[in-house]
């Protein structure tokens, strides 16, 4: 956690949110790890990374990403609020998706569907969806083409606990990893923490 000294009780509020984030339960195939947060963007910041583990290969990762929660009591104009979520998610996709002209729009809809699926509201969203196609040549020509999708997004939470925004982001990671969502009423087992 990163904080600067500010007047008021903002540090205590942020500490409560940080404790709640540390206690979040996500699917067992998602490993959350707290990492150093950025120090120049906001007075208060927390960061987590996550890896979606392949059930068939516990050492294999299907998707990876980073979730950063920022808090600035001054409420920067571009945020339209005092809290901001900044995320990154990446996963390998099937090579045949490389030429799909709708792939980027679908990637963005996976993010918004994850937020809507948790009953959340947000504003001032921004982001990019990038697909990276790698083809090998020469001595590496026998390697198959590969495709990766990267979703970089930020938004200001309007409704819903900040912990639910973390869970929605974990849902997005599972979606891009190709893991189907949990059925209604099924409670996830605790994810692994490092």
């Amino acid at each position: 956690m990163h904080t600067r000294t500010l007047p008021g009780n903002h540090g205590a509020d942020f500490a409560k949110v940080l404790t709640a984030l540390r206690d979040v339960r996500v699917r067992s195939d998602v490993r959350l790890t707290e990492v150093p947060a950025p120090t120049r963007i906001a007075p208060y910041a927390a960061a987590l990374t996550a890896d979606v583990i392949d059930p068939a290969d516990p050492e294999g990762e299907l998707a990876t990403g980073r979730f950063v929660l920022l808090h600035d009591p001054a409420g920067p104009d571009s945020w339209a609020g005092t809290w901001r979520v900044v995320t990154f998610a990446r996963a390998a996709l099937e090579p045949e998706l490389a030429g799909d002209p709708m792939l980027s729009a679908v990637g963005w809809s996976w993010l918004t569907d994850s937020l809507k699926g948790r009953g959340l509201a947000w504003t001032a969203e921004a982001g990019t969806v990038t697909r990276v196609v790698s083809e090998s040549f020469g001595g590496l020509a026998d390697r198959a083409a590969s495709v990766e999708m990267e979703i970089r997004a930020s938004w200001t939470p309007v409704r819903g606990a900040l912990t639910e925004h973390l869970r929605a982001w974990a849902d997005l990671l599972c979606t891009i990893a190709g893991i189907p969502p949990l059925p209604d009423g099924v409670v996830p087992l605790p994810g692994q923490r490092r």
Side-chain angles (χ1 to χ4, degrees):
M1 172 177 72
H2 160 71
T3 64
R4 287 185 280 208
T5 304
L6 293 174
N9 199 24
H10 303 291
D13 293 341
F14 186 79
K16 288 178 192 174
V17 170
L18 182 61
T19 297
L21 288 176
R22 288 175 175 153
D23 292 340
V24 164
R25 297 179 124 205
V26 294
R27 296 172 62 135
S28 61
D29 34 17
V30 177
R31 284 190 193 149
L32 288 174
T33 305
E34 189 172 350
V35 295
T39 59
R40 295 185 180 147
I41 302 172
Y44 302 94
L48 299 164
T49 60
D51 297 312
V52 179
I53 305 306
D54 185 346
D57 176 14
E59 298 301 315
E61 294 175 1
L62 298 174
T64 189
R66 184 175 172 104
F67 179 93
V68 177
L69 179 63
L70 305 171
H71 179 51
D72 187 340
D77 291 341
S78 62
W79 290 12
T82 59
W83 295 90
R84 188 77 175 164
V85 175
V86 180
T87 65
F88 167 77
R90 180 181 59 221
L93 302 176
E94 295 81 22
E96 57 270 10
L97 294 175
D100 186 340
M102 295 300 296
L103 185 60
S104 295
V106 168
W108 191 257
S109 73
W110 287 341
L111 169 65
T112 58
D113 289 348
S114 295
L115 293 164
K116 289 175 189 172
R118 295 269 174 190
L120 301 172
W122 64 95
T123 191
E125 68 275 5
T128 62
V129 178
T130 305
R131 68 181 125 188
V132 178
V133 179
S134 297
E135 295 182 58
S136 300
F137 298 94
L140 301 176
D142 58 338
R143 288 187 183 175
S146 64
V147 178
E148 282 190 342
M149 175 185 277
E150 294 181 355
I151 302 171
R152 294 177 184 269
S154 63
W155 64 90
T156 298
V158 173
R159 185 180 68 240
L162 294 168
T163 53
E164 288 302 307
H165 287 266
L166 174 60
R167 285 187 183 102
W169 174 75
D171 294 344
L172 167 67
L173 278 176
C174 290
T175 299
I176 68 171
I179 296 175
L182 289 173
D184 287 340
V186 174
V187 178
L189 295 172
Q192 298 178 352
R193 295 263 182 185
R194 290 192 272 177

